[in-house]
Amino acid sequence: MKLGLIAAALLLSAATAQPALAHPAHHPGDVVRAEALPAALWLPGTADARRLTYTSTSATGKPVVVSGTVFVPAGTAPAHGWPVVSWTHGTLGVADNCANSTAGRSQRDVDYLSHWLGAGYAVVASDYEGLGTAGEHPYLNGTSEAHGAIDMVRAARKLVPSLSRRWIAVGQSQGAQAALFVGSIEDRYASELDYRGTIATAPPSKYPQLVAAYKPFGPGGAANPFAVYVLAGLDASYRNFDPARYLTPYGQEVYAKVKTTDCFTDTAIALAGRSADDVYAVDAGEQTHILRLLDRDAEIPITRYREPVFVAQGTTDTVVYPPATTTTVNQLKKAGTKVTYTIYPNTDHNGVVPAATASALAWAADRFR
């Protein structure tokens, strides 16, 4: 089924320090265009799949068009419709060709999302602002990610009437951070939907702790590909942020490809065997500035979330700093959020997804009863 163009394409505005109010005529979650998803990109257990673009709200509060995918499970929908999982993906890259809705998904994510379909959930998956659509992707900007994930549910329900109002956000890594941002704003941003909770595996947080432990910008040690994407995200969000200032000549070559063609795996290969000093030129003051901006845009909100949260963290994760996750969980609990927290020994960043699958599904089933 194809829908005609029902909303005008919207220009992405560069982010500023403080969000602005959305235009009064802006209707987040309107479908702009929809088309059948190529069969090669379907998840096992899918009965129907569509790629769509839809209206959302940028980090600055302005209208933006975002892309994503809807997967409908096989079988007959329950009386109140298929409950919905809004999947928030981990780091893919910032170039448009990295978007899941056109490039496909990792085997880890295919396996994980297939479990959700098999359990009777529709899966909707935003590509996030600026990834696969006009404008730049503000990597790790939690407000932008959350808007995209929430409006993906709104748009999917307009496209597929068999989807329920009941939904949860489920994410890994960058997507776990996004899912927690969803939990912090869903009641204000989309009160017409029936949100049931957040599942977050390996959510990045407490960036000063992470940087102190892993030294992604050096000095010494191996070059960290995630740090390139942090610079790209800040470049997208702040007009006066100049990534070249923080990169060596080789780092600038890598960065140019990151912005145009290279996805995360390509960047990791390009930096393999390189030291941080080969790529980054970040002194202590500049690192403090980067961390200040990250704290503003990316730090998980510590407040009382209306609905419960499930968090899983592996102890041998070298991407997200495990003690930082524990700190964030403890702060959320103290703020009044109901958190189920499981630590998985000898489990790394990718391994926590399959390790936590059964528990996450059981937790979600309780939320939908």
Side-chain angles (χ1 to χ4, degrees):
M1 173 181 175
K2 291 189 177 182
L3 298 181
L5 189 65
I6 63 173
L10 303 167
L11 296 177
L12 174 67
S13 299
T16 54
Q18 295 297 324
L21 293 176
H23 189 279
H26 177 39
H27 300 290
D30 280 351
V31 177
V32 175
R33 182 181 180 86
E35 60 190 359
L37 187 72
L41 301 182
W42 285 32
L43 298 169
T46 299
D48 186 20
R50 323 275 181 87
R51 182 184 187 274
L52 69 155
T53 51
Y54 60 96
T55 56
S56 188
T57 308
S58 75
T60 64
K62 296 182 179 180
V64 66
V65 169
V66 180
S67 59
T69 315
V70 181
F71 299 96
V72 181
T76 302
H80 298 292
W82 297 111
V84 178
V85 165
S86 185
W87 166 246
T88 46
H89 65 73
T91 303
L92 303 175
V94 297
D96 284 339
N97 56 285
C98 303
N100 279 150
S101 66
T102 53
R105 302 171 196 279
S106 69
Q107 190 60 51
R108 181 203 69 187
D109 290 355
V110 168
D111 293 343
Y112 187 50
L113 297 179
S114 296
H115 282 295
W116 288 101
L117 283 167
Y121 298 88
V123 174
V124 305
S126 175
D127 289 325
Y128 303 149
E129 176 186 348
L131 190 54
T133 48
E136 296 185 313
H137 172 46
Y139 176 68
L140 287 181
N141 188 299
T143 301
S144 168
E145 296 164 343
H147 288 162
I150 295 169
D151 292 328
M152 182 73 214
V153 178
R154 286 169 158 161
R157 293 189 67 245
K158 291 175 182 177
L159 184 66
V160 183
S162 62
L163 301 192
S164 172
R165 290 176 56 250
R166 301 178 302 155
W167 71 291
I168 58 173
V170 179
Q172 154 70 6
S173 193
Q174 176 193 5
Q177 175 239 14
L180 287 164
F181 265 86
V182 168
S184 74
I185 70 169
E186 54 78 26
D187 57 335
R188 303 189 306 276
Y189 188 72
S191 59
E192 80 279 8
L193 297 175
D194 184 2
Y195 190 68
R196 297 300 179 94
T198 302
I199 294 175
T201 53
S205 66
K206 304 294 177 280
Y207 299 96
Q209 288 187 37
L210 186 153
V211 166
Y214 294 152
K215 297 180 172 55
F217 296 109
N224 187 315
F226 288 97
V228 178
Y229 291 100
V230 167
L231 298 179
L234 296 177
D235 185 23
S237 293
Y238 294 94
R239 292 189 181 95
N240 296 326
F241 187 85
D242 180 12
R245 175 179 175 182
Y246 308 98
L247 293 163
T248 66
Y250 179 71
Q252 293 177 37
E253 291 178 16
V254 171
Y255 185 82
K257 293 180 180 178
V258 160
K259 294 285 283 189
T260 55
T261 59
D262 282 7
C263 301
F264 180 79
T265 300
D266 304 310
T267 306
I269 292 171
L271 298 190
R274 295 275 184 169
S275 71
D277 298 330
D278 289 337
V279 181
Y280 305 108
V282 180
D283 64 27
E286 291 167 336
Q287 181 170 283
T288 297
H289 179 59
I290 290 169
L291 288 172
R292 186 180 301 116
L293 296 179
L294 271 177
D295 181 70
R296 178 184 296 171
D297 290 350
E299 188 55 62
I300 292 166
I302 302 301
T303 185
R304 183 183 182 277
Y305 294 14
R306 186 172 64 93
E307 298 299 334
V309 171
F310 173 99
V311 178
Q313 178 63 56
T315 61
T316 56
D317 194 331
T318 57
V319 176
V320 168
Y321 187 47
T325 303
T326 299
T327 298
T328 296
V329 165
N330 289 338
Q331 290 177 341
L332 285 171
K333 288 179 176 179
K334 187 175 181 180
T337 299
K338 183 178 180 181
V339 184
T340 299
Y341 183 39
T342 304
I343 298 173
Y344 292 85
N346 303 313
T347 304
D348 64 12
H349 190 67
N350 286 318
V352 73
V353 175
T357 297
S359 295
L361 286 165
W363 185 90
D366 284 341
R367 297 301 307 142
F368 282 100
R369 286 196 179 99

